[in-house]
């Protein structure tokens, strides 16, 4: 017989914290604010106790008081924002895991933010491991599909600025040789079409990246495969592209993940 989880003994609970949390919950239900007497009544607290806790919550920034009414303060709003951001991150991670299992490949989410290539989330498995970052992804954007896909979405000035900071360097025998050749390649890439690279970043690996543009922000979903499975790359890329197209609107991937 399975025992139910033990409930915390009342002596181990801090009653003032419980009361403060009830007050915060009550204030959150009143968009236009509420007076102390109403909050005390709704939470079942004595008015002096409610006043004491409300003053403390105001002092700590979790509440603010205007004309006798109490509202959620900046500290409480920050907590809510952090929770929403964590929920978005979890949603993206779960979605990438679904695509990983459905397509049978590692899946990556990356974006170009503040002049840098950032891999935000990777979903892989023991049977389908992600590419090892043996050379800094930020510094080698010219070599991998993720970086090429992001750079292709930038304007010419932004591309040149990036390459001035991170010059092209050959890291495998297949890597593009110079910035001029890379810029010509990027200019020829059809807009919003998948970008593929074969062993340019890592020997024995082929990759593809799907461009995603939201407003002025460049982002991408990408996959990788061992080079001996390169014949799977086109079909897997089409699967990813179709999945992204179906779910992007409802998923509402946060660019500030």
């Amino acid at each position: 017989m399975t025992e139910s989880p033990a409930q915390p003994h009342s002596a181990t609970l801090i009653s003032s914290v419980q009361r403060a949390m009830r007050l915060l919950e009550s204030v959150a239900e009143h968009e236009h604010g509420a007076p102390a007497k109403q909050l005390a009544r709704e939470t079942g607290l004595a008015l002096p106790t409610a006043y004491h806790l409300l003053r403390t919550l105001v002092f700590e920034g979790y509440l603010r008081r205007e004309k006798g009414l109490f509202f959620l303060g900046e500290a409480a709003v920050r907590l809510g924002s952090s929770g929403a951001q964590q929920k978005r991150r979890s949603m993206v991670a779960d979605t990438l895991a679904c695509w990983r299992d459905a397509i049978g490949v590692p899946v990556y989410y990356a974006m170009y933010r503040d002049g840098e290539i950032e891999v935000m989330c990777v979903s892989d498995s023991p049977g389908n491991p992600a590419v090892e970052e043996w050379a800094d992804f930020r510094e080698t954007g010219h070599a991998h599909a993720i970086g090429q896909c992001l750079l292709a979405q930038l304007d010419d000035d932004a591309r040149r600025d990036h390459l001035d900071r991170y010059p092209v360097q050959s890291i495998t025998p297949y890597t593009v040789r110079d910035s001029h050749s890379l810029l010509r390649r990027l200019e020829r890439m059809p807009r919003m079409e998948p970008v593929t690279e074969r062993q340019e970043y890592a020997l024995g690996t082929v990759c593809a990246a799907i461009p995603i543009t939201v407003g002025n922000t460049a982002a991408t979903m990408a996959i990788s495969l061992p080079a001996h499975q390169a014949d799977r790359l086109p079909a897997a890329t089409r699967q990813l592209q179709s999945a992204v197209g179906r779910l992007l609107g409802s998923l509402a991937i946060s660019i500030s993940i």
Side-chain angles (χ1 to χ4, degrees), residues 7-29:
Q7 297 298 314
H9 191 277
S10 59
T12 68
L13 301 178
I14 302 175
S15 58
S16 60
V17 174
Q18 291 178 300
R19 293 166 182 163
M21 297 304 294
R22 290 206 301 270
L23 281 170
L24 282 171
E25 291 171 353
S26 185
V27 172
E29 294 176 358

Side-chain angles (χ1 to χ4, degrees), residues 108-113 115-120 131 133 135-155 158-160 162-163 165-166 168 171 175-176 182-183 185-187 189 193-197 200-201 207-212 218-223:
Y108 311 75
Y109 171 49
M111 57 184 294
Y112 196 82
R113 181 167 61 179
E116 301 291 347
I117 293 169
E118 297 188 27
V119 178
M120 312 301 294
V131 178
E133 187 178 354
D136 193 322
F137 276 137
R138 293 173 300 177
E139 298 178 5
T140 56
H142 61 281
H144 48 73
I146 286 174
Q148 292 178 26
C149 186
L150 294 173
L151 292 173
Q153 297 177 62
L154 305 180
D155 61 34
R159 287 178 198 162
R160 292 181 182 278
H162 183 90
L163 295 176
R165 290 181 288 116
Y166 300 115
V168 170
I171 58 176
T175 308
V176 65
L182 176 66
L183 288 170
R185 179 194 296 184
L186 295 176
E187 290 169 358
M189 286 180 180
E193 286 297 312
V195 175
T196 61
E197 59 90 356
E200 295 181 49
Y201 174 77
C207 302
I210 308 296
I212 303 170
T220 182
M221 292 286 182
I223 58 175

Side-chain angles (χ1 to χ4, degrees), residues 1-6:
M1 180 176 179
T2 303
E3 295 184 3
S4 58

Side-chain angles (χ1 to χ4, degrees), residues 172-232:
T172 80
Y174 303 95
T175 308
V176 65
R177 290 291 183 261
D178 53 67
S179 60
H180 179 70
S181 299
L182 176 66
L183 288 170
R184 287 183 58 194
R185 179 194 296 184
L186 295 176
E187 290 169 358
R188 291 197 303 266
M189 286 180 180
R191 181 171 174 77
M192 303 312 292
E193 286 297 312
V195 175
T196 61
E197 59 90 356
R198 299 172 185 270
Q199 304 190 82
E200 295 181 49
Y201 174 77
L203 291 176
T205 302
V206 296
C207 302
I210 308 296
I212 303 170
T213 301
V214 180
N216 295 322
T217 303
T220 182
M221 292 286 182
I223 58 175
S224 63
L225 281 165
H228 68 270
Q229 297 181 25
D231 58 331
R232 291 184 54 206

